[in-house]
Amino acid sequence: MKYSRIGGTGSYLPEKVLLNSDLEKIVDTTDQWIRERTGIAQRHIAAEGETTADLAEAAARNALEAANLQANDVDLIIVATTTPDCVFPSVACLLQQRLGVTNSSPAFDVQAVCAGFAYALGIADNFVRAGTARCALVIGAETFSRILNWEDRNTCVLFGDGAGAVVITASDSPGIHSTHLHADGRYEELLHVPEGVSRGYDAVRQQQAFVQMKGSEVFRMAVSKLREVVDETLAANDLDKSELDWLVPHQANIRIIKATARKLDMSMDKVVLTVQDHGNTSAASIPLALDTAVRDGRIKRGDKLLLEGFGGGFTWGSALITY
Ligand code: COA
């Protein structure tokens, strides 16, 4: 079996919902501005004490159930996250423990911010193609609310918490046709959390340990890089854009998503849109959108999907999949 395919999907959103009208009471913003500029109507926020591993576990269990597989069938766990529970162990190792996977298979985290799920999927696909894994759990999970400055209206209205998961299994036919991963480290200043473990978190500088973003520059780069990666993906598979059934994009901003859809000549009813319900959940947003459209019956077996995402780093990536 030289390919990988998606065996099942799952997702989880924390119970607490924060509406745009709630944010109006915290920062100088309006429901109208947030909806018009981003498409977001609400986001979910993890409860006190609820961690990324909690969200990841719920999504992973959903995906395993959908794939009709048991925890010990899993021989690889990759969690894409920028907001892990602790410095170590990884969320993937915490998850392996919680799920009761005792077969000593590898488990690790990937940090590529909003492109994290595309990265994790690409890595898992390569493990399966190489014959070193047969059943991988690939998860995007974030508690981004913990790295937001709730006094900064430029960022705090955009993000939310959540998790999405897929089970990848070995297959005779694709499945995942190709993945395309990129990074350009020159743009650190446009989107970053400039503090961390090695730089230290002293009392004064701690005020900077939050997402900082130059929104309009990030917007322009996202649109341009996503256009490029979409072209690259179609060309690599000798596929015409008319052959795509669904665009499953990273859910950062409806205007970025619309720009990619226009590039693909896809009408918005062929685009899975969930940004209104959970905002930008970083690495979780692509699998959250995928799981939503699989469970509500829009995405069916045999459909051709284009997944894409762009995030801090900058990092960006895509995958072409027959579901
Ligand atoms: N409520 C009201 N006004 C706000 C606001 C908010 N929450 N946030 C910013 N504004 C203001 C700005 O201060 C600015 O005011 P000014 O003109 O008086 O300076 C004005 O709105 C316009 O800001 P601008 O940055 O030009 O708006 P925009 O059309 O670029 O939209 C973003 C802002 C952040 C929504 C948009 O740039 C974006 O989505 N960028 C990419 C974000 C992203 O995807 N990040 C993660 C990558 S995965």
Side-chain angles (χ1 to χ4, degrees):
M1 292 201 229
K2 57 182 181 135
Y3 298 104
S4 74
R5 67 185 281 274
I6 295 180
T9 66
S11 61
Y12 177 76
L13 289 165
E15 233 169 80
K16 183 180 170 189
V17 171
L18 192 67
L19 301 170
N20 291 345
S21 54
D22 297 322
L23 284 165
E24 286 177 351
K25 294 172 200 138
I26 303 174
V27 288
D28 180 15
T29 192
T30 60
D31 175 50
Q32 190 189 354
W33 189 95
I34 301 172
R35 280 178 197 264
E36 283 178 6
R37 308 307 293 162
T38 73
I40 299 167
Q42 61 173 48
R43 69 287 296 140
H44 292 247
I45 304 292
E48 205 181 322
E50 192 175 33
T51 68
T52 295
D54 294 327
L55 276 45
E57 181 184 355
R61 289 190 187 280
N62 277 345
L64 282 171
E65 196 184 338
N68 209 10
L69 289 166
Q70 305 301 315
N72 260 311
D73 295 323
V74 172
D75 59 8
L76 172 67
I77 301 177
I78 309 178
V79 177
T81 187
T82 302
T83 48
D85 290 39
C86 45
V87 175
F88 67 82
S90 63
V91 176
C93 283
L94 296 175
L95 192 60
Q96 194 196 46
Q97 174 199 124
R98 289 177 183 207
L99 294 175
V101 178
T102 53
N103 56 17
S104 307
S105 54
F108 57 91
D109 290 357
V110 166
Q111 206 268 51
V113 204
C114 299
F117 183 76
Y119 269 62
L121 196 67
I123 296 165
D125 180 48
N126 277 296
F127 266 77
V128 174
R129 282 176 190 255
T132 39
R134 294 181 56 83
C135 177
L137 248 179
V138 181
I139 299 157
E142 302 279 14
T143 45
F144 240 66
S145 63
R146 306 268 154 77
I147 53 167
L148 295 177
N149 175 355
W150 289 96
E151 293 175 2
D152 177 13
R153 68 175 184 175
N154 292 298
T155 51
C156 76
V157 304
L158 303 176
F159 296 91
D161 302 334
V166 298
V167 176
I168 300 294
T169 54
S171 165
D172 287 324
S173 57
I176 299 178
H177 295 267
S178 67
T179 55
H180 305 268
L181 308 178
H182 295 283
D184 189 334
R186 290 174 295 173
Y187 298 95
E188 178 188 353
E189 300 298 320
L190 297 187
L191 178 56
H192 58 159
V193 177
E195 301 297 312
V197 176
S198 189
R199 287 184 183 174
Y201 287 107
D202 65 56
V204 179
R205 295 162 70 204
Q206 202 160 359
Q207 290 173 19
Q208 294 187 57
F210 299 116
V211 174
Q212 298 179 19
M213 183 176 71
K214 297 199 169 69
S216 48
E217 284 100 322
V218 175
F219 188 99
R220 278 196 294 278
M221 280 295 287
V223 169
S224 136
K225 292 301 170 193
L226 290 172
R227 283 191 168 150
E228 283 173 25
V229 84
V230 157
D231 277 341
E232 179 189 347
T233 311
L234 292 173
N237 291 282
D238 200 16
L239 198 77
D240 187 79
K241 52 193 171 187
S242 63
E243 295 172 80
L244 290 172
D245 295 301
W246 293 100
L247 176 65
V248 188
H250 170 48
Q251 311 282 323
N253 184 316
I254 194 171
R255 294 184 292 137
I256 297 175
I257 295 171
K258 280 183 174 168
T260 311
R262 267 198 303 276
K263 160 86 186 165
L264 289 167
D265 288 333
M266 285 178 103
S267 68
M268 285 305 284
D269 58 2
K270 288 290 177 192
V271 178
V272 181
L273 206 60
T274 52
V275 68
Q276 66 282 359
D277 298 327
H278 55 64
N280 183 347
T281 56
S282 187
S285 89
I286 295 174
L288 266 163
L290 178 63
D291 185 51
T292 300
V294 165
R295 283 177 193 261
D296 69 21
R298 275 178 290 169
I299 293 180
K300 298 188 174 50
R301 285 289 173 197
D303 282 356
K304 277 227 164 33
L305 322 178
L306 180 59
L307 279 50
E308 46 84 344
F310 177 91
F314 287 133
T315 52
W316 63 101
S318 67
L320 183 78
I321 296 173
T322 299
Y323 178 67

